[in-house]
């Protein structure tokens, strides 16, 4: 049987802007057979349900009615993570970045030279991210073409929306985990792009992935810049200014550039299609340059705390109009869930605000040196990520014409997460707007995968607690 | 059938000191019928198991054999939490302390004037803490005598080791949530102590609980000091130096004392039986005073981040020999799990270390201004908490003669927590010491209640994932 459409009725959380979102207790909307939202009616009394449907020409149809304590919200966008590092998750917290790469990361990533290992590992990796509520994910794979193709296949098969990139690394990496030349690196990158385009998925996109400036020679970065120029649809992701020793080494390696952001700009990489992870130690001129170039930032607070990198000044970026999304950065970050990133974004903004008070820093803007409210946290986890991926016309919130990339969240007692106090366990009424906002806050701060009942990408059920096929 | 004893065989994690712990892959130990550990043999090959048992006079007995990926460790000690605030968990993150008390905390706590509400609420509260791995818990209840007795009953019934205190609050609190006089407050406190002593439990202890100096008049604090002097077994808990506005108000209210710690000392409350929660903004003289008085600190980083209180300098306290344990401080903290406190203690120490680098602060000691290693985190969560509670002769690690307050932890794939990568899902060998240390790190940084199979207090199974009676 082909399902032509599904009508949903119940509570909806819908981000609007960095400072506003809608909590709609009684929302009615239709997702068509292609996975797009056709229409949304914000406030429908249950007694009026059939009338509203009839006005849409729908008579005698089944409606998916959410229970009290459930709500629909847009899926999370994880703008920065490393698929091959998931088996390392929760290890190596004693290291800072450069030692951590050498001792924890590179040894694991080098195992993906074995395609069989990739084939065995990636399905479980991808399903974990999906079940954590991530409907769009920006993946770094490894330097290995074959394993990266496998990751793209897995993502396609499991139905996530994603960017998949093969790392470019032709220097300052271990002998057994380095590309032998610029030419080899570029050839493999081109082959990956052609492969991903050939698998004919609207959901999986190739993305250029120079790991970071340190691991790439200047000619390699220039060649990637040429590829970016010749294909206006091609995205790119890299790391920037994560750790102070990394910044120092970068400026030593690229002495002709004046700043770290300048290195990428000087090679033609700093465009609106660029996703820059971390951005902890950026200077004033770099922030200005990034704003002018319209590049996006992936804020990865779990990783920045865990690897002792520091606290990114997200508020300042937002005041400058820079696009910001959240990233889990597994396994620098010890959680695959954007919920953890939301909690740590809140903590990071509060500690930056405290610190600025001691330093009498300016807090004239809307966000700089202030704690980020829940509304902004929600936006960063959804719409902000969509903007960073240049997909905000398709995803990030629920609007007619956009894809149904969404979660059904439950904060009910029977969701089975004891860290969430089942809100009004026995309540019989439709939640008020204020109660629904409370549901969202509990989910963001105490929720886990058990509170995510269903995960939809382009209207298709691909994961969540009630999804039986899970890895 | 009376179980006279149980013999366990498998991996054990055993804290020793702030800088050492033992990871024992093949440990054999016996827990007797009274719930005490009789003996432990650190390293026993499975082929040698029956010989070792025979040498102990044990022939043909059943042994509880842990699976690969499971280990036994001491249970967590939560040195500071608020039982009546659990229904508020995950709400109010927009407030700082004093506004948060007014808008979030006091309205919920006042509901416990209704004993029926307490009877309905507390069993689920206590079971959540147990299932999170907390075998000893320091509870604040409310000002209500009846509801606090109910909490003590629930704790006894559910078998947790705990301190249960009725808050003393006779000023600077809402009209409907304040004790009318010093005399009323003291009388109810004495009645609670007598009640808890009468229920004849070795596990449940009364504890004096002046909420904080702000909510108590000087005569009330003095009377509590008298009670403390007259009963050498009586413990006491309170808050100290959590938030800068709170510190300021405290010094205004107690102008005759020179510091916040001095307020408690001047009333005879600062003894080795005192548990001081937070201690974020303590000055040099206060740290010296606390060290001299041998009072303990409950470090509550989740709460301190969430209410924007600041970052406590735990390393400095440890270098001074001050006892430190961890606290969840629900609902200032948004998680009932000491695992979250462990993660946030790590983050807090790393950010304090970074901050001190910018300020060129001293890092001459073992811990001050340095990131806390996993060994120290483990110690704080177990032995450190036991020391703060003055129970380190009974609990905190696994030693002959100590109570079996312990967890069986599983980091196996079938534990069902997708945030933990099931370590070597298919491995058949007994884990090495290094692998076992890796299990511990994954559990501390990625674990949740699903990884806690069994929770024992005084040898009795009281909770965990495999415990069917759970709330």
């Amino acid at each position: 049987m082909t399902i032509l459409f599904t009508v949903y009725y119940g509570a909806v959380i819908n981000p609007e802007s960095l400072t506003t979102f809608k909590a709609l207790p009684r929302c009615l909307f239709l997702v068509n057979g292609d996975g797009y939202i056709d229409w949304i009616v914000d406030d429908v009394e249950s007694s009026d349900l059939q009338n509203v449907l009839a006005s849409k020409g729908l008579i005698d149809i089944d409606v998916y009615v959410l229970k009290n304590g459930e709500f629909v919200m847009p899926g999370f966008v994880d703008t920065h993570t490393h698929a091959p590092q998931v088996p390392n998750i929760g290890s190596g917290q004693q290291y800072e970045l450069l030692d951590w790469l050498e001792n924890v990361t590179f040894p694991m990533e080098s195992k993906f030279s074995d395609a069989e290992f990739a084939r065995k590992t990636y399905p479980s990796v991808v399903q974990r991210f999906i079940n954590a509520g991530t409907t769009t994910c920006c993946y770094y794979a490894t330097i290995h073409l074959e394993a990266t193709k496998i990751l793209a296949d897995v993502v396609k098969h499991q139905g996530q929306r994603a960017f998949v990139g093969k790392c470019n690394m032709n220097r300052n990496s271990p002998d057994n985990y380095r590309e032998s030349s610029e030419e080899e690196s570029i050839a493999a990158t081109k082959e990956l792009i052609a492969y991903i385009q050939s698998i004919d998925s609207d959901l999986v996109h190739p993305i250029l992935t120079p790991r970071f400036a340190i691991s790439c020679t200047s000619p390699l970065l220039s060649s990637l810049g040429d590829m970016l120029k010749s294909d206006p649809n091609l995205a790119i992701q890299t790391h920037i200014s994560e750790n102070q020793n990394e910044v120092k080494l970068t400026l030593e390696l690229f002495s002709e550039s004046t700043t770290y952001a300048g290195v990428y700009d000087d090679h033609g990489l700093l465009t609106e299609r660029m996703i820059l992870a971390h951005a902890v130690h950026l200077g004033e001129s770099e922030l200005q340059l990034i704003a002018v170039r319209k590049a996006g930032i992936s804020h990865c607070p779990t990783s920045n705390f865990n690897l002792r990198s520091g606290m990114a000044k997200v508020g300042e970026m937002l005041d400058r109009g820079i696009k910001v999304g959240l990233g889990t950065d597994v396994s620098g970050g010890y959680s695959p869930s954007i919920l953890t990133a939301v909690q740590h974004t809140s903590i990071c903004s509060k500690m930056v605000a405290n610190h600025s008070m001691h330093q009498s820093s300016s807090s004239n803007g809307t966000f700089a040196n202030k704690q980020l409210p829940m509304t902004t946290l929600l936006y960063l986890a959804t719409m902000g990520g969509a903007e960073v991926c240049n997909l905000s016309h398709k995803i990030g919130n629920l609007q007619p014409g956009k894809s149904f990339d969404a979660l059904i969240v439950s904060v009910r007692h029977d969701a089975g997460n004891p860290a969430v106090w089942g809100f009004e366990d026995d309540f019989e009424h439709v939640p008020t707007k204020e109660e629904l906002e409370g549901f969202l806050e509990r989910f963001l701060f105490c929720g886990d995968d058990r509170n995510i009942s269903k995960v939809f990408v382009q209207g298709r059920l691909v994961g969540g607690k009630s999804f039986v096929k899970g890895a």
Side-chain angles (χ1 to χ4, degrees), chain A residues 326-401:
Chain A
L326 303 185
T328 58
D329 191 28
V330 173
S331 69
Y334 55 74
S335 166
S337 172
I338 285 291
L339 291 169
T340 310
V342 164
Q343 293 149 26
H344 289 164
T345 299
S346 172
I347 288 174
C348 180
S349 75
K350 287 172 177 174
M351 293 303 107
V352 166
N354 277 3
H355 189 56
S356 75
M357 276 174 31
H358 298 303
Q359 302 207 313
S360 311
S361 303
S362 159
S363 52
N364 290 330
T366 307
F367 301 104
N369 298 320
K370 290 178 181 152
Q371 69 183 61
L372 298 178
M374 184 175 70
T375 307
T376 308
L377 300 173
L378 170 69
Y379 191 86
L380 295 179
T382 54
M383 275 300 293
E387 289 167 357
V388 166
C389 296
N390 294 304
L391 287 177
S392 56
H393 58 295
K394 291 192 90 165
I395 59 164
N397 64 1
L398 307 174
Q399 282 184 14

Side-chain angles (χ1 to χ4, degrees), chain A residues 6 8 46 59 103 140-141 173 196 202 214 223 230 281 332 353 360 414 416 420:
Chain A
T6 310
Y8 295 88
S46 61
I59 311 287
N103 292 294
Y140 286 56
S173 313
I196 293 180
D202 288 340
I214 290 172
S223 298
S230 67
H281 304 285
S360 311
D414 59 15
V420 172

Side-chain angles (χ1 to χ4, degrees), chain A residues 207-400:
Chain A
I207 186 165
L208 296 180
T209 307
R211 187 180 200 108
F212 59 166
I214 290 172
S215 72
C216 300
T217 57
S218 182
L220 177 54
L221 293 181
S222 294
S223 298
L224 292 170
D226 292 341
M227 289 177 68
L228 207 58
K229 203 174 294 172
S230 67
D231 180 351
N233 292 315
L234 193 55
I236 177 167
Q237 60 186 352
T238 192
H239 298 78
I240 194 168
S241 201
E242 177 175 0
N243 171 288
Q244 289 181 316
N245 288 333
E246 170 220 6
V247 175
K248 191 159 162 280
L249 180 54
T250 302
L251 294 178
E252 284 167 17
L253 290 170
F254 293 88
S255 53
E256 64 285 14
S257 297
T258 53
T259 64
Y260 198 155
V263 172
Y264 294 133
D265 196 50
D266 294 345
H267 292 86
L269 303 177
L270 204 64
T271 75
E272 65 182 347
R273 288 173 278 149
M274 170 61 103
I275 303 173
L276 296 163
H278 303 301
V280 176
H281 304 285
L282 292 178
E284 171 63 29
S285 69
E286 292 177 288
L287 287 168
Q288 286 180 12
L289 180 62
I290 288 167
V292 167
R293 295 287 185 264
K294 300 188 194 316
I297 303 286
S298 175
H299 176 46
C300 304
T302 309
S303 170
N304 295 338
F305 282 136
N306 192 44
L307 297 182
R308 216 182 127 175
S309 303
M311 299 191 283
K313 297 200 176 70
V314 173
E316 268 190 48
M317 299 172 195
L318 295 177
D319 279 342
R320 291 167 191 268
I322 296 173
K323 301 179 289 186
V324 180
L326 303 185
T328 58
D329 191 28
V330 173
S331 69
Y334 55 74
S335 166
S337 172
I338 285 291
L339 291 169
T340 310
V342 164
Q343 293 149 26
H344 289 164
T345 299
S346 172
I347 288 174
C348 180
S349 75
K350 287 172 177 174
M351 293 303 107
V352 166
N354 277 3
H355 189 56
S356 75
M357 276 174 31
H358 298 303
Q359 302 207 313
S360 311
S361 303
S362 159
S363 52
N364 290 330
T366 307
F367 301 104
N369 298 320
K370 290 178 181 152
Q371 69 183 61
L372 298 178
M374 184 175 70
T375 307
T376 308
L377 300 173
L378 170 69
Y379 191 86
L380 295 179
T382 54
M383 275 300 293
E387 289 167 357
V388 166
C389 296
N390 294 304
L391 287 177
S392 56
H393 58 295
K394 291 192 90 165
I395 59 164
N397 64 1
L398 307 174
Q399 282 184 14

Side-chain angles (χ1 to χ4, degrees), chain A residues 21-323:
Chain A
F21 74 98
K22 284 214 168 124
L24 306 167
R26 308 181 296 188
C27 193
L28 185 72
F29 64 94
L30 184 145
V31 177
N32 69 28
D34 294 325
Y36 294 98
I37 299 165
D38 250 20
W39 49 259
I40 302 179
V41 184
D42 278 359
D43 188 23
V44 177
E45 288 207 44
S46 61
S47 59
D48 210 28
L49 195 56
Q50 292 308 324
N51 290 339
V52 174
L53 289 170
S55 76
K56 301 282 186 186
L58 299 171
I59 311 287
D60 198 23
I61 60 151
D62 288 336
V63 175
Y64 186 108
V65 179
L66 275 75
K67 297 177 190 164
N68 281 342
E70 292 183 332
F71 61 88
V72 174
M73 66 175 287
F76 295 130
V77 180
D78 186 344
T79 54
H80 181 73
T81 206
H82 296 264
Q85 291 181 31
V86 172
N88 268 340
I89 195 164
S91 59
Q93 45 74 39
Q94 68 269 42
Y95 296 112
E96 291 189 41
L97 178 64
L98 299 180
D99 291 334
W100 172 81
L101 287 171
E102 182 182 332
N103 292 294
V104 180
T105 305
F106 291 153
M108 174 59 75
E109 291 196 6
S110 65
K111 292 188 187 177
F112 288 79
S113 63
D114 173 5
E116 201 43 53
F117 185 74
R119 217 167 270 123
K120 204 182 92 181
T121 305
Y122 279 145
S124 174
V125 166
V126 171
Q127 198 62 46
R128 282 165 205 247
F129 283 109
I130 293 174
N131 290 350
T134 296
T135 48
T136 297
C137 197
C138 300
Y139 289 115
Y140 286 56
T142 59
I143 62 170
H144 312 103
L145 176 62
E146 192 58 28
T148 308
K149 286 181 180 175
I150 289 166
L151 177 58
D153 289 339
V154 167
V155 168
K156 184 193 173 184
H157 179 69
Q158 295 181 211
Q160 193 179 35
R161 193 182 302 275
F163 293 81
V164 175
K166 189 201 71 57
C167 291
N168 300 106
M169 299 165 64
N170 71 339
R171 67 165 167 174
N172 291 318
S173 313
D175 287 345
N176 71 338
Y177 189 54
R178 185 174 57 207
E179 295 173 299
S180 62
S181 67
E182 173 212 335
E183 292 72 23
E184 181 199 322
S185 185
I186 292 294
T189 302
K190 288 185 172 168
E191 192 178 330
L192 178 73
I193 293 171
Y195 180 76
I196 293 180
Q197 288 167 344
S198 78
I199 64 178
D200 192 30
S201 165
D202 288 340
L203 301 178
V204 189
H205 310 278
I207 186 165
L208 296 180
T209 307
R211 187 180 200 108
F212 59 166
I214 290 172
S215 72
C216 300
T217 57
S218 182
L220 177 54
L221 293 181
S222 294
S223 298
L224 292 170
D226 292 341
M227 289 177 68
L228 207 58
K229 203 174 294 172
S230 67
D231 180 351
N233 292 315
L234 193 55
I236 177 167
Q237 60 186 352
T238 192
H239 298 78
I240 194 168
S241 201
E242 177 175 0
N243 171 288
Q244 289 181 316
N245 288 333
E246 170 220 6
V247 175
K248 191 159 162 280
L249 180 54
T250 302
L251 294 178
E252 284 167 17
L253 290 170
F254 293 88
S255 53
E256 64 285 14
S257 297
T258 53
T259 64
Y260 198 155
V263 172
Y264 294 133
D265 196 50
D266 294 345
H267 292 86
L269 303 177
L270 204 64
T271 75
E272 65 182 347
R273 288 173 278 149
M274 170 61 103
I275 303 173
L276 296 163
H278 303 301
V280 176
H281 304 285
L282 292 178
E284 171 63 29
S285 69
E286 292 177 288
L287 287 168
Q288 286 180 12
L289 180 62
I290 288 167
V292 167
R293 295 287 185 264
K294 300 188 194 316
I297 303 286
S298 175
H299 176 46
C300 304
T302 309
S303 170
N304 295 338
F305 282 136
N306 192 44
L307 297 182
R308 216 182 127 175
S309 303
M311 299 191 283
K313 297 200 176 70
V314 173
E316 268 190 48
M317 299 172 195
L318 295 177
D319 279 342
R320 291 167 191 268
I322 296 173
K323 301 179 289 186

